[in-house]
Amino acid sequence: MKRYLKQLGQGMTEYIIIVALIAIAAIAVYSFFGDTLRSQTGAITKELSGQSGADQTSAAQGAANAAADQSEHKGLGEFTGGAEAGGE
C-alpha cells in the first residue's frame, strides 16, 4: 500500500512541475507580446461597440513590429555577456 502511495505522490509531483513550466512559458510569451495583445483586445472591444478600432489596430501593428525587431536583434552573445566560445 505504501508503494502505491509513493507512486501516486511521484505522479502528482511530475504534474506540478509540468504545470509550473507551462505557466512560466505563458508568462514569458505574454510579457513579450503583451502590448500587441492589449491593443488587439482594445480594437476588438471598440469594433464590437460600434466605434472605429483603427487606432488600436495600428498600435497593435506597431507593438508587433517592435516585438519582431527585438527578436531579430537578440543573439547568444547578449545572453552570455559577450563571452566567446572556448573561454577566450
Side-chain angles (χ1 to χ4, degrees), residues 14-37:
E14 291 171 355
Y15 177 73
I16 290 171
I17 290 171
I18 291 170
V19 169
L21 291 174
I22 291 171
I24 290 169
I27 290 169
V29 167
Y30 186 77
S31 69
F32 194 68
F33 293 110
D35 292 335
T36 305
L37 293 173

Side-chain angles (χ1 to χ4, degrees), residues 3 5 9-10 17 22 26 35-36 51 55 61 63 73 75 83-84:
R3 186 175 192 183
L5 291 176
Q10 179 183 359
I17 290 171
I22 291 171
D35 292 335
T36 305
Q51 301 174 10
D55 293 339
Q61 184 63 41
H73 296 287
E84 295 179 5

Side-chain angles (χ1 to χ4, degrees), residues 27-88:
I27 290 169
V29 167
Y30 186 77
S31 69
F32 194 68
F33 293 110
D35 292 335
T36 305
L37 293 173
R38 280 189 290 277
S39 298
Q40 287 178 341
T41 304
I44 291 169
T45 304
K46 281 200 158 202
E47 291 290 336
L48 286 174
S49 68
Q51 301 174 10
S52 173
D55 293 339
Q56 281 75 19
T57 303
S58 62
Q61 184 63 41
N65 290 337
D69 289 342
Q70 285 180 2
S71 67
E72 289 176 7
H73 296 287
K74 294 277 184 186
L76 187 59
E78 293 178 17
F79 295 106
T80 59
E84 295 179 5
E88 296 177 10

